[in-house]
Amino acid sequence: MRNNLSVLLLAFLLACTSNELILKVVSVGQLFDDIQKNNSSDLILINVWSTWCVPCIEEFPYIVDLESKYKPEDLDVIFVSTDWDENSVEVQDFLLKENVFGRHYRKKEGNDQEFINELCSSWSGVLPFTVVYDRNMALIDFWEGKKDDHYFKSKIDSIISSKGQEI
């Protein structure tokens, strides 16, 4: 009986932690370090968004849906909010409303241009912004502005397909 209770308690704790949202405030260097420590996927898609950006909010469900379309070892989806500290509750509430769990980030307030240049030197600063890196954080592809679900899926499929041919 005691073993059964222990197993049930462990299962309960694991179930609770799988639906946990961790929202860290980071610089790009901290973001990359954290991703490398916690990532096990071949591709990392980082979507930079904000609660005040209507195109960001409109494309958000397409990106959330990517996690159910690809295996965890193929793709890790990471969201980085550019909202200010005063909007941190709104960011967390929005992510939870969209059923986003796991480890995600909010940009540390400060030098926006430095953040932009470090994340992707070709990024103009337009939101939404999406960038794809390999597991070593080497840039593979990026795009600015709102895209639809077909665009996201075709881009990821193309990258996965081309990576498979390289092996």
Side-chain angles (χ1 to χ4, degrees), residues 20 28-29 36 46 54 67 96 103 111 113 138 146 150 152:
E20 182 181 11
V28 172
Q36 286 185 303
I46 299 174
V54 173
E67 286 191 304
L96 291 171
R103 187 176 300 272
N111 189 330
Q113 194 60 52
K146 177 185 162 191
H150 176 72
F152 280 98

Side-chain angles (χ1 to χ4, degrees), residues 78-137:
I78 307 236
F79 293 103
V80 177
S81 167
T82 61
D83 285 274
W84 293 351
D85 291 345
E86 65 195 40
N87 297 73
S88 62
V89 172
E90 288 87 349
V91 171
Q92 186 163 349
D93 289 348
F94 177 79
L95 291 170
L96 291 171
K97 182 182 85 109
E98 294 295 320
N99 293 314
V100 172
F101 302 102
R103 187 176 300 272
H104 299 282
Y105 304 89
R106 197 165 48 78
K107 175 195 163 298
K108 185 180 286 185
E109 285 190 35
N111 189 330
D112 292 340
Q113 194 60 52
E114 182 178 301
F115 179 85
I116 290 166
N117 292 340
E118 288 180 16
L119 191 62
C120 177
S121 61
S122 299
W123 176 25
S124 72
V126 168
L127 291 178
F129 177 71
T130 304
V131 61
V132 180
Y133 293 98
D134 70 11
R135 70 173 50 246
N136 300 313
M137 300 309 293

Side-chain angles (χ1 to χ4, degrees), residues 60-70 149 153:
F60 208 89
Y62 307 139
I63 304 165
V64 171
D65 191 44
L66 292 174
E67 286 191 304
S68 67
K69 302 275 186 230
Y70 297 94
D149 60 338
K153 290 173 191 167

